[in-house]
Amino acid sequence: MAKGEVKARASGTRAAPEPAFVQLLTPEGDRVEHPDYSVDFSDDEYRSLYHDLVVVRKLDAEATALQRQGELGIWASLLGQEAAQVGSGRALRAQDMAFPTYREHGVLYTRGVDPIMPLRLFRGVDQGAWDPNEFKFNTYTIVIGAQTLHATGYAMGITKDGKVGSDDGEAVIAYFGDGATSQGDVNEAYIWASVFNAPLVFFCQNNQYAISEPLERQTRVPLYHRASGFGFPGLRVDGNDVLACYAVTRKALDDARHGQGPSLIEAYTYRMGAHTTSDDPTRYRIASEVEAWQAKDPIKRLRAFLTKQGLAQDDYFDAVDEEARVAAVNLRERVLALPDPDPKTMFDHVYPHGSPELAQQKEQFTRYLASFEGSGH
């Protein structure tokens, strides 16, 4: 079997799941060994991972509810992908840089960004106002796949700055979905990262659908196989296994920071909800498929593991649920209290130093707004 696939172990272990991937925690909450990947967490760290998964899911559900009530323009839910995001996000070291799409709310949470920030973006208050340099987490990218080129350029830059080649070196991770692998930007990023040996991990969350297009209409081979055509390693990981996602991502990032170049991780997971709140997934997938993936739920399996290992009991799980509920209520109250931006501010950051044409447009728009004053409109 190829490296990165789950292998059958000694007597008493279960057979490899289909499709084969790196797995450390089964859907039933049982630990399995892997020859190349492992984790060494304390009891508190295991519980902390569970806490993050639950809180991230609850905040995401609250954002979906806010959109349905007209408080957000749109929302891209991560429901079902929490393990891929929290696991890989926790694997990042402080100096590493992440380039997200518009769905990486779980990675954003692990990087310490205020969860209200993406909601400000989708409410139209600003364009995503966190400082990427402060949190080592770039702003959301709406254009499909464009962030992989941004990540590649950044990774090439830190190499030229001499920040690669040691335990303290820097690495970069670029997130994207299975549909983005069909975009030219992603394939161009593969080429540049490979040729220049960029310290970059391409992290593809294969959630089985590019909006309404299933995976089989995107590729005839597993996505991680594509890496070999560009000259760097690729592997598939159980994207609903937070432990495996952590272990695989940490190793890939450490390899990159030591100068071993790029790699591709395909996190095999599932989008439980809609592509965005403007999508209706019942039009292109059947209920039995969703039910089958519900049995692989990342939160349920980690809870089962904690219970079986005696690391947590009902009082702990209840406390986490309550903390998540309070966090969601707080998020809702803060979103509803956000002031509407002055419409004229749309001109303020188009160019760093403005332009005569922009100033003229702003003046015309200001007169247009003033024409409504006192008119009853």
Side-chain angles (χ1 to χ4, degrees):
M1 300 178 72
K3 181 179 180 180
E5 297 180 343
V6 176
K7 299 179 180 179
R9 306 298 293 166
S11 176
T13 60
R14 63 196 71 244
E18 293 295 329
F21 40 35
V22 176
Q23 185 182 79
L24 300 180
L25 191 64
T26 70
E28 296 76 28
D30 297 321
R31 278 298 306 271
V32 290
E33 298 297 324
H34 191 279
D36 301 311
Y37 299 95
S38 63
V39 294
D40 183 22
F41 290 139
S42 67
D43 294 351
D44 285 341
E45 288 171 328
Y46 280 121
R47 287 189 287 264
S48 177
L49 284 172
Y50 179 83
H51 167 274
D52 289 352
L53 293 176
V54 172
V55 172
V56 164
R57 176 173 292 187
K58 186 65 174 179
L59 294 176
D60 177 71
E62 192 65 39
T64 298
L66 283 164
Q67 193 283 329
R68 295 306 191 200
Q69 295 160 7
E71 301 298 340
L72 302 178
I74 195 171
W75 183 251
S77 173
L78 57 64
L79 182 62
Q81 299 176 220
E82 295 90 354
Q85 295 195 16
V86 170
S88 63
R90 288 299 184 200
L92 289 161
R93 299 190 189 274
Q95 68 269 29
D96 297 335
M97 185 70 177
F99 287 80
T101 67
Y102 45 77
R103 199 188 301 275
E104 272 66 59
H105 322 308
V107 184
L108 176 143
Y109 182 83
T110 67
R111 298 307 274 172
V113 181
D114 190 332
I116 199 174
M117 288 301 186
L119 278 73
R120 292 172 62 96
L121 170 65
F122 291 119
R123 190 174 170 84
V125 173
D126 54 44
Q127 299 298 311
W130 65 86
D131 182 351
N133 291 317
E134 177 185 356
F135 297 100
K136 306 297 283 188
F137 184 82
N138 199 44
T139 52
Y140 277 9
T141 301
I142 307 300
V143 178
I144 305 299
Q147 72 281 358
T148 60
L149 286 173
H150 306 158
T152 301
Y154 187 96
M156 291 167 61
I158 62 176
T159 300
K160 291 182 179 295
D161 289 340
K163 297 180 178 179
V164 177
S166 69
D167 290 343
D168 297 325
E170 297 183 17
V172 182
I173 189 168
Y175 290 91
F176 53 99
D178 48 289
T181 63
S182 297
Q183 294 288 335
D185 284 6
V186 174
N187 291 272
E188 291 162 10
Y190 287 165
I191 294 170
W192 280 83
S194 176
V195 171
F196 287 91
N197 203 47
L200 173 59
V201 175
F202 293 102
F203 194 93
C204 175
Q205 293 174 82
N206 177 3
N207 65 19
Q208 312 304 313
Y209 287 94
I211 308 182
S212 60
E213 290 297 295
L215 183 63
E216 58 266 24
R217 294 188 182 179
Q218 297 291 321
T219 180
R220 295 184 64 181
V221 300
L223 293 176
Y224 74 96
H225 283 180
R226 291 188 176 184
S228 62
F230 294 90
F232 53 85
L235 62 84
R236 176 182 275 172
V237 63
D238 183 348
N240 285 16
D241 176 356
V242 68
L243 305 185
C245 288
Y246 176 94
V248 165
T249 307
R250 173 55 67 92
K251 185 177 186 303
L253 287 166
D254 286 346
D255 287 347
R257 82 178 75 258
H258 282 94
Q260 297 183 33
S263 61
L264 169 63
I265 296 172
E266 177 193 353
Y268 199 82
T269 182
Y270 193 78
R271 167 168 55 80
M272 295 301 298
H275 173 71
T276 69
T277 46
S278 62
D279 171 44
D280 179 8
T282 64
R283 295 173 62 89
Y284 54 82
R285 66 187 190 189
I286 58 177
S288 60
E289 177 183 296
V290 179
E291 292 172 0
W293 277 93
Q294 286 175 338
K296 306 172 186 178
D297 183 84
I299 296 179
K300 290 180 180 178
R301 76 170 66 183
L302 187 55
R303 176 169 178 156
F305 169 76
L306 294 175
T307 300
K308 290 179 179 182
Q309 297 297 316
L311 301 180
Q313 297 179 341
D314 287 346
D315 57 347
Y316 171 77
F317 298 124
D318 291 343
V320 172
D321 288 343
E322 176 61 16
E323 184 177 343
R325 186 195 68 79
V326 171
V329 171
N330 177 262
L331 182 65
R332 165 177 287 273
E333 292 174 347
R334 294 170 63 202
V335 169
L336 297 180
L338 287 172
D340 292 332
D342 184 337
K344 296 188 293 297
T345 61
M346 76 172 78
F347 299 95
D348 291 347
H349 304 292
V350 178
Y351 299 111
H353 306 294
S355 75
E357 293 83 0
L358 200 64
Q360 183 181 29
Q361 292 175 21
K362 183 175 183 178
E363 182 182 353
Q364 292 173 345
F365 185 66
T366 300
R367 291 200 302 270
Y368 170 74
L369 291 178
S371 69
F372 291 97
E373 294 180 0
S375 63
H377 291 286

